[in-house]
Amino acid sequence: MRVCSLFSGIGGIDLGFQQAGFDIVWANEFDKDAATTYRHNFSGEHLVEKDIRKVGASEIPDFDVLVAGFPCQPFSIMGLRKGFNDPRGNLFFEIARIAEAKKPKVIFLENVANLLEHDDGKSFLTVYNALAPQGYSFRYQLMDSIEYGNVPQHRTRIFIVAFQDEGACERFKFPDKLKLTVKLNDILVRSVKHDKSYYYDESSVYYKDLIRIVTDKNALYKIYDSGVSRKPHYISPTLTANMGTYPDRVPIILDDYGIRKITPYECLALQGFPKDYRFPKIPIESAYKQCGNSVVVPVIRRIAENIMKVMTNG
């Protein structure tokens, strides 16, 4: 089953579909650093680093499934929530354009949970109205990664699966919930000393609050606009892209050597990426941004497996 991936980022959706047995035949990413990371971990020949608005449908090989985690900032409760009035929100219509030209059997979309309620539901209706006239039937569900991905990170996203075949849509089911068995300390290694740049010291304006509040080696903490979280987190809050813009938004832990930010690789692990997934030589700010912009891979894999069942079993 052939997949075309739009807004591929570092390939979290692609990886989940690949793990489920799909073949990624074409992918697109405009961000240079994200494309560099993608190529470092995939064969790379199928990735086109180009503005999707300048890609003609004829340039894309035939495929069965279109996947896209289209830009979520226009719909996020953390952003300005301009929706389709934001140029990034309008990029969704590139998905509709390519779908209309290539007519894939399935379309898989991922976005922030707020897409469902944004603008009193009009944004979600816009997505529906762009694809339903093309003959697609919809299923959608809000899913938190602690319930469906067995990773200790709260990350609620909306997943939309649209089928050309109405019968296939009726047969498709989202995966059942899982028991959370993976804990923070299964991912965050506190016995290894990292580079000093990760550790807080007296030069930080937060240091006095950190040494007073960050005391639990089983927990994770975060700095918010109001200051250091008084309540320890035993499940990670949602990792956000602004970790790469505001360094103090990177979650914090107490390890055997001091109080530090979690590393980009620990962020990847909280997103369910395999241990052999690696960053190339890119700025650390880009690595954090890429982690926050990505997806929880096991959740994607489980949905993709159910799509595969419907497509292959008839």
Side-chain angles (χ1 to χ4, degrees), residues 90-298:
N90 281 327
L91 289 172
F92 163 75
F93 296 106
E94 299 303 312
I95 298 171
R97 173 179 67 87
I98 292 171
E100 186 171 16
K102 305 298 287 189
K103 296 178 172 52
K105 297 173 184 175
V106 183
I107 299 173
F108 170 88
L109 303 176
E110 178 268 353
N111 210 283
V112 292
N114 195 56
L115 174 67
L116 197 59
E117 298 180 358
H118 181 265
D119 196 15
D120 295 325
K122 293 176 184 176
S123 293
F124 181 78
L125 189 61
T126 298
V127 173
Y128 179 84
N129 286 339
L131 299 177
Q134 297 185 33
Y136 287 97
S137 301
F138 276 65
R139 288 289 179 91
Y140 65 91
Q141 186 164 317
L142 293 176
M143 303 171 73
D144 189 339
S145 54
I146 67 165
E147 296 178 323
Y148 294 92
N150 195 23
V151 295
Q153 180 201 172
H154 275 298
R155 193 177 191 88
T156 302
R157 292 292 185 265
I158 185 170
F159 297 95
I160 302 169
V161 184
F163 292 85
Q164 266 195 345
D165 185 308
E166 187 176 353
C169 186
E170 291 176 356
R171 293 192 301 274
F172 172 79
K173 293 182 179 179
F174 282 96
D176 295 329
K177 290 182 179 181
L178 295 171
K179 182 179 179 181
L180 179 64
T181 60
V182 178
K183 299 180 180 179
L184 279 177
N185 280 355
D186 294 330
I187 289 175
L188 307 176
V189 181
R190 302 178 194 250
S191 59
V192 174
K193 188 173 184 178
H194 291 274
D195 185 86
K196 65 179 182 179
S197 62
Y198 289 104
Y199 291 87
Y200 282 88
D201 58 27
E202 293 86 348
S203 65
S204 170
V205 296
Y206 299 105
Y207 186 68
K208 289 184 179 179
D209 283 339
L210 288 170
I211 59 174
R212 179 170 52 86
I213 296 171
V214 180
T215 59
D216 189 338
K217 280 192 174 181
N218 293 306
L220 175 150
Y221 298 79
K222 194 173 180 183
I223 297 173
Y224 297 93
D225 290 341
S226 57
V228 182
S229 56
R230 297 296 196 272
K231 182 180 178 182
H233 297 282
Y234 296 98
I235 293 173
S236 173
T238 302
L239 299 179
T240 54
N242 69 359
M243 293 188 299
T245 308
Y246 303 99
D248 289 317
R249 292 302 187 263
V250 179
I252 296 162
I253 64 169
L254 175 65
D255 72 9
D256 294 346
Y257 302 93
I259 297 170
R260 67 168 174 88
K261 301 165 189 172
I262 65 173
T263 69
Y265 284 110
E266 289 171 321
C267 290
L268 280 182
L270 284 170
Q271 294 278 46
F273 278 75
K275 290 182 179 180
D276 61 357
Y277 194 96
R278 312 303 293 173
F279 285 110
K281 289 184 178 180
I282 57 171
I284 191 169
E285 295 83 4
S286 289
Y288 278 124
K289 177 183 176 183
Q290 290 169 20
C291 291
N293 268 334
S294 195
V295 296
V296 176
V297 176

